Amino acid sequence: MFLRATLSLIAGLLPLAAMAQDLESLRNQAEQNPAALARLRQAASAPDAKAAFYLGTLYSPLITRQESTVVKGWPETMHWYRQAARLGCARANFDLGLVYEKGLGVAKNPQRAAVYFSRMAAIARIETALPPSASSAVGRHTGIHKD
C-alpha cells in the first residue's frame, strides 16, 4: 500500500518536472528564436510563474549567453521576476532578494531583500514539506532570523 502511494506520488510529479524542463528548454530556444520568445512571453502572461521566471532570466544583465532576441535590462528583468514571485516562484523570490541585497538595478535595500528571502524560504518549506522548526536552519544560511 505504501509503495503504491509512493509510486503514485512520483508519477504525479513527473509531468511537473517535465513541464519545468520544457520551459527551460523554451527559454534557451528564445535566446535566438523570436517564435520561441513569443511562446515564452505568452506562457508568462498566462500567467505561469516558471515561465515568467525564465523570461526574467532572459532579460537579466547578469545572465549572458547567446541572446539576440532581447535587449538586456533591469526594468524588464524586475517586471518578470516580480510577476513570478507574486505567483509563488521560490527562485524568483530568491533572485529578487539578491537584487535588493546587492543593489542590482535598484537601490540597496536589505529590509526588502530579507522579505524576498523569507518568502523564498516559506515557499521552499512548503514545496519540500519541511517542518516549521527547520526555518531556523534556513535562517542561519540566509541571514534571515525570526524573532
Side-chain angles (χ1 to χ4, degrees), residues 22-46 50-60 66-72 76-77 79-80:
D22 289 345
L23 285 171
E24 187 173 7
S25 174
L26 184 59
R27 184 257 182 246
N28 292 338
Q29 293 170 34
E31 292 177 0
Q32 300 287 320
N33 183 333
L37 176 61
R39 286 195 310 273
L40 184 59
R41 186 179 297 280
Q42 182 179 20
S45 298
K50 292 203 184 304
F53 172 75
Y54 285 123
L55 190 55
T57 66
L58 195 61
Y59 285 98
S60 175
Q66 302 294 321
E67 296 93 339
S68 64
T69 56
V70 299
V71 175
K72 299 286 194 170
E76 195 73 11
T77 300
H79 169 78
W80 293 110

Side-chain angles (χ1 to χ4, degrees), residues 49-142:
K50 292 203 184 304
F53 172 75
Y54 285 123
L55 190 55
T57 66
L58 195 61
Y59 285 98
S60 175
L62 296 181
I63 303 171
T64 56
R65 295 187 191 170
Q66 302 294 321
E67 296 93 339
S68 64
T69 56
V70 299
V71 175
K72 299 286 194 170
W74 285 113
E76 195 73 11
T77 300
M78 296 292 287
H79 169 78
W80 293 110
Y81 278 179
R82 285 184 181 121
Q83 179 170 325
R86 278 193 300 274
L87 294 169
C89 178
R91 291 171 68 184
N93 277 284
F94 179 77
D95 282 4
L96 284 168
L98 288 177
V99 163
Y100 283 103
E101 180 180 73
K102 305 291 184 193
L104 304 171
V106 297
K108 281 186 179 184
N109 188 332
Q111 292 80 18
R112 194 166 210 179
V115 168
Y116 283 113
F117 287 138
S118 180
R119 288 179 186 167
M120 179 273 309
I123 294 166
R125 195 170 35 254
I126 291 167
E127 289 178 351
T128 59
L130 291 174
S133 61
S135 66
S136 61
V138 172
R140 281 193 301 272
H141 295 289
T142 62

